[in-house]
Amino acid sequence: MVGNYVYFCGKIMGDTDFIGKKLIEWYMINRRELPWRSTQDPYRIWISEVILQQTRVVQGLNYYLRFMERFPNVQSLADADEQEVLKYWQGLGYYSRARNLHLTAQIVRDQYHGVFPKNYEQIKSLKGIGDYTAAAIVSFAWNLPYPVVDGNVFRFLSRFFLIDIPIDTQKGKNYFMELAGQLMDRSQPGLFNQAIMEFGALQCIPASPDCLHCPFSDNCLAFARQAVADYPVKQHKTQTKGLYLYYFHIRQGSTTYLTKRAGKGIWQNLFEFPMVESEQPLDLESLLQNDLFAGWLPAVAVASFRIRIQNRKHVLSHRILYATFIEVYINKELAPNERFFPVETSTLEDYPVHRLMQYYLENSD
Ligand code: SF4
């Protein structure tokens, strides 16, 4: 029978014990063997969870292994230079997460004698750790009963119970967290959390899940009503506007020029070429007349220009970036200035850069 239970006013009515049991049974057969699943070290669990918030498991695995090789424990991460941490994070995006990892490792080193606190609230108070990551750490490391609710869990629960509260609202987050907590198998919370996340990642996938071969095909309300594609429900459709970035790879002999991103943006402290930003696309002529660009090269002659990469698209949650890279040869070194500094072109690889710069460096030869 479908739906002989209902979630109402914060309580599940009906028999739902079978959900946790089936999830765990399914998990024991179908789970992927991943290195962070065979550890109870809160440091390793923490790093893996933050990496997996950035990327899919396949790509995340390489980042995790490299990161662990270089920073095998809290102490080594805390003692590292931020620039090196960013370099190891390069390509994952959301660099504030890497900065927070570094900062939190220093707090654990300095305030907790290098030992991760075991208390959920204390963990949640650390920089960059929210409900989800704190729940993952305490349930996987110490089997404490805190539910993890990530995109996979939202999707499975919203379909299974046909819940149309938007998942991108605080109300929705609280609702699903409460529900996941009530469904949780209290005798094995870590295993339950792993199972429900993996189920959403592999079986109850975003597009065209194989519902006919799902262990919940007899119980899932969305499947029964042929409404799987309508769940989960989101309230906000993010508005994305274009932004055009024009990077100048200024070259003189073996020298080129870099600048370090200041401010609080997502690419804070990463390195890039001097850049002109515009809400509208610009042609080469208007770029050359741009005050900013003209101000960089006041006393030198420009020998040649070449567009190396045009309108490379990079999608952020709130903007779509279009990056154009222009190689500019000049015949004399630039005078020292506060905006950018000379480096040997052969050392560009040593600097942590964002994804657009990385793309250019890998594809411009
Ligand atoms: S029947 Fe389909 S929608 Fe429902 S839980 Fe299974 S895979 Fe997800």
Side-chain angles (χ1 to χ4, degrees):
M1 187 202 294
V2 177
N4 54 348
Y5 39 74
V6 63
Y7 186 60
F8 183 65
C9 289
K11 279 258 168 286
I12 301 175
M13 300 179 196
D15 172 25
T16 51
D17 286 352
F18 76 95
I19 298 175
K21 285 198 188 92
K22 272 196 182 187
L23 283 171
I24 290 171
E25 271 169 29
W26 176 93
Y27 179 69
M28 298 313 282
I29 296 166
N30 295 287
R31 69 177 172 182
R32 293 165 290 184
E33 292 300 333
L34 297 165
W36 49 84
R37 292 211 171 127
S38 55
T39 180
Q40 289 183 306
D41 177 352
Y43 170 74
R44 288 174 178 252
I45 293 165
W46 170 48
I47 299 295
S48 70
E49 287 303 328
V50 180
I51 288 176
L52 292 178
Q53 284 162 28
Q54 303 298 127
T55 188
R56 291 169 352 155
V57 166
V58 181
Q59 288 91 346
L61 182 58
N62 286 334
Y63 276 94
Y64 173 83
L65 295 174
R66 279 182 62 232
F67 207 87
M68 279 305 139
E69 198 177 321
R70 170 61 190 89
F71 310 113
N73 47 42
V74 172
Q75 186 76 34
S76 54
L77 179 58
D79 292 346
D81 184 67
E82 185 190 82
Q83 192 163 317
E84 192 186 5
V85 178
L86 291 174
K87 190 70 194 163
Y88 272 78
W89 197 259
Q90 183 171 302
L92 278 173
Y94 287 95
Y95 291 85
S96 59
R97 292 191 174 155
R99 286 189 288 272
N100 285 339
L101 283 181
H102 189 221
L103 209 64
T104 289
Q106 292 175 335
I107 293 170
V108 173
R109 177 193 64 192
D110 300 340
Q111 295 179 18
Y112 296 95
H113 310 291
V115 180
F116 239 84
K118 212 171 163 178
N119 174 291
Y120 175 80
E121 293 302 332
Q122 274 179 327
I123 291 182
K124 222 176 83 167
S125 72
L126 295 168
K127 189 101 178 139
I129 298 187
D131 290 328
Y132 166 80
T133 310
I137 294 171
V138 299
S139 66
F140 301 157
W142 300 296
N143 224 10
L144 298 180
Y146 289 87
V148 290
V149 182
D150 67 351
N152 296 316
V153 177
F154 278 129
R155 191 165 53 253
F156 167 59
L157 293 180
S158 66
R159 287 172 174 172
F160 188 91
F161 288 99
L162 213 69
I163 298 167
D164 51 18
I165 300 176
I167 60 169
D168 54 348
T169 59
Q170 195 52 49
K171 184 180 171 197
K173 290 187 174 92
N174 296 343
Y175 190 94
F176 282 95
M177 195 133 93
E178 179 80 14
L179 173 58
Q182 291 190 34
L183 291 173
M184 174 180 279
D185 180 339
R186 303 257 147 187
S187 64
Q188 39 192 354
L191 195 57
F192 173 86
N193 280 344
Q194 296 275 20
I196 194 169
M197 288 163 71
E198 188 80 333
F199 188 81
L202 298 183
Q203 172 67 39
C204 196
I205 54 176
S208 311
D210 184 4
C211 297
L212 285 174
H213 297 101
C214 171
F216 295 110
S217 56
D218 289 342
N219 320 97
C220 172
L221 289 172
F223 181 49
R225 299 200 188 167
Q226 299 185 2
V228 171
D230 300 335
Y231 292 84
V233 172
K234 280 194 180 175
Q235 184 178 64
H236 304 296
K237 287 253 180 268
T238 315
Q239 293 287 331
T240 43
K241 277 176 37 185
L243 186 66
Y244 297 82
L245 311 178
Y246 296 91
Y247 286 102
F248 293 93
H249 184 185
I250 301 173
R251 309 186 69 161
Q252 197 273 318
S254 63
T255 303
T256 188
Y257 294 84
L258 283 181
T259 177
K260 191 175 184 181
R261 277 247 180 182
K264 286 277 169 216
I266 53 167
W267 290 341
Q268 183 192 1
N269 292 348
L270 298 179
F271 294 82
E272 61 183 10
F273 296 135
M275 185 262 290
V276 169
E277 191 176 295
S278 167
E279 299 281 336
Q280 308 296 333
L282 300 173
D283 58 26
L284 200 53
E285 201 176 330
S286 21
L287 270 172
L288 301 188
Q289 284 162 11
N290 180 282
D291 289 346
L292 199 54
F293 178 64
W296 295 335
L297 308 171
V300 296
V302 173
S304 69
F305 279 98
R306 189 152 62 122
I307 294 180
R308 300 299 303 264
I309 285 171
Q310 193 158 22
N311 284 337
R312 170 76 188 170
K313 190 173 168 186
H314 184 67
V315 180
L316 300 174
S317 56
H318 58 299
R319 295 223 90 154
I320 299 176
L321 306 180
Y322 297 93
T324 295
F325 286 83
I326 303 161
E327 195 173 47
V328 184
Y329 279 92
I330 57 175
N331 59 8
K332 192 174 135 196
E333 271 188 29
L334 295 186
N337 65 67
E338 288 176 0
R339 277 193 56 94
F340 40 84
F341 56 92
V343 298
E344 278 294 309
T345 304
S346 60
T347 66
L348 278 174
E349 289 284 326
D350 299 340
Y351 293 85
V353 295
H354 51 71
R355 211 170 266 190
L356 287 170
M357 280 288 292
Q358 187 183 0
Y359 180 83
Y360 173 77
L361 295 176
E362 288 171 359
N363 294 281
S364 59
D365 285 334

